[in-house]
Amino acid sequence: MKTDYNVRCYYRDGKWGEIEVSSSEDINIHMAATCLHYGQEAFEGLKAFRCKDGKIRSFRIEANAARLQSTCRGIMMPELPTELFVEMCKKVVKLNENFIPPYGTGASLYLRPLLIGTGAQVGVKPANEYLFMIFVTPVGPYFKGGFQANPYVITRKYDRSAPLGTGVYKVGGNYAASLKAHVEACHGGQYACEFYLDAKEKKYIDEAGAANFFGIKDGVYVTPKSTSILPSITNMSLIQVAEDLGIKVERRPIAIDELADFQEAGACGTAAVISPIERVDDPEAGKSYNFGKQPGPISTKLYETLRAIQLGEIEDKHNWNTVIE
């Protein structure tokens, strides 16, 4: 949905400039910009919520800034200082305050920070100029019919990223690499999303195209540990919430066959917080792993707790929320 304003900041001559406000949805870049040829592009995703007390809160802005900085280091772009990232997030939310959905609707204002190489460069090397911008759009509740479980499918035919590649960075190329698998697996309407296995051995669960995986095994929150998985801020938050609730947490490789031992499973990310998994099919192996048609009790508790923190309904003991005034 078109909103009123976006915010921009240019990197030129070795330094970041002033914050600019724009009402245009367009950007003007050179045809030889490195973002178009060599993939110098990174983005983030976070939300702002109108809360029960009437205040506006955004969830874990600093963590998004840190992840963007990690991506910048990985693909040779200048790091955006945390203070500048936070200031621009606050500014774009305030400028578009009228688009923040009301409390109780399950809807929110989605922020999309985007950093691209704009310097013209035909040789394969980093650009000398960059553009960072943030635009926003209201988004509806992820679960239109309430918190519910969906089927997922394992894809063995494609890899999302290599073990020591760009999988740990939030770059557009990772998503481009997932599109064919996603369309083949999901556009028949049978599955909500695809799951990738580790590219090296095809033995372990990695992640979905746009979300981390977790499972509940004998009351323990288990999530994969891998050098090709994007570090999900939602997953990091759920790990902390689980520990706060007295739930043991394990981060380790999860073999495919171990899925049979899990009582609950879910995909976690900014869009849904938790998308409970009804079952994971592995068609090429002729197997299916079932977790129940309804979200499990631990997944439900984690989901409700994290959502309550985001909405300011319960104590934010880790100071994750930024109140935007």
Side-chain angles (χ1 to χ4, degrees), residues 11 47 54 72 80 105 177 182 188 210 221 234 242 301:
Y11 180 90
K47 289 180 177 179
C72 289
L80 196 83
T105 60
H182 182 73
Y221 183 101
T234 303
K301 180 65 175 176

Side-chain angles (χ1 to χ4, degrees), residues 59-60 212-216 219-225 229-252 254 268-269 273-274 298 302-303 305-306 309 317-318 320:
F59 186 68
R60 303 205 71 171
N212 279 190
F213 172 82
F214 75 89
I216 305 298
V220 178
Y221 183 101
V222 186
T223 192
K225 185 175 183 179
I229 291 176
L230 181 73
S232 163
I233 292 167
T234 303
N235 198 5
M236 287 164 32
S237 305
L238 289 170
I239 286 170
Q240 184 61 64
V241 168
E243 291 175 342
D244 293 346
L245 294 172
I247 298 168
K248 185 181 176 183
V249 172
E250 293 180 0
R251 292 188 67 224
R252 58 174 176 77
I254 301 173
C268 55
V273 176
I274 290 175
I298 294 179
L302 291 170
Y303 172 79
T305 302
L306 189 54
I309 293 171
K317 63 175 68 176
H318 300 289
W320 286 336

Side-chain angles (χ1 to χ4, degrees), residues 53-166:
D53 58 7
K55 294 181 179 179
I56 300 166
R57 289 176 173 83
S58 190
F59 186 68
R60 303 205 71 171
I61 296 179
E62 293 86 355
N64 280 273
R67 188 169 64 180
L68 179 62
Q69 290 158 4
S70 172
T71 298
C72 289
R73 293 190 293 272
I75 62 170
M76 300 296 289
M77 298 197 292
E79 293 181 40
L80 196 83
T82 301
E83 297 76 14
L84 179 58
F85 185 95
V86 172
E87 183 182 357
M88 291 179 69
C89 285
K90 289 180 176 179
K91 192 174 189 71
V92 77
V93 170
K94 283 300 291 182
L95 286 167
N96 296 285
E97 185 174 352
N98 291 338
F99 291 92
I100 304 174
Y103 170 78
T105 60
S108 57
L109 187 71
Y110 181 77
L111 284 69
R112 170 52 61 85
L114 174 67
L115 176 59
I116 60 173
T118 54
Q121 181 64 51
V122 176
V124 183
K125 62 181 181 180
N128 57 3
E129 293 185 3
Y130 295 84
L131 167 63
F132 177 70
M133 62 185 301
I134 307 176
F135 64 88
V136 301
T137 181
V139 291
Y142 188 85
F143 299 105
K144 306 300 187 290
F147 189 53
Q148 58 192 11
N150 289 290
Y152 283 63
V153 63
I154 288 173
T155 177
R156 294 172 178 268
K157 192 176 175 182
Y158 303 103
D159 295 323
R160 174 184 164 273
S161 63
L164 298 177
T166 60

Side-chain angles (χ1 to χ4, degrees), residues 36 42 59-60 99 136 138 168 175 183 190 210-211 221 236 239 256 261 263 280 283 300 323 325:
L36 301 177
F59 186 68
R60 303 205 71 171
F99 291 92
V136 301
V168 294
Y175 295 82
V183 169
Q190 186 177 0
Y221 183 101
M236 287 164 32
I239 286 170
I256 307 167
D261 301 328
Q263 290 81 47
V280 175
T300 301
V323 176
E325 298 173 318

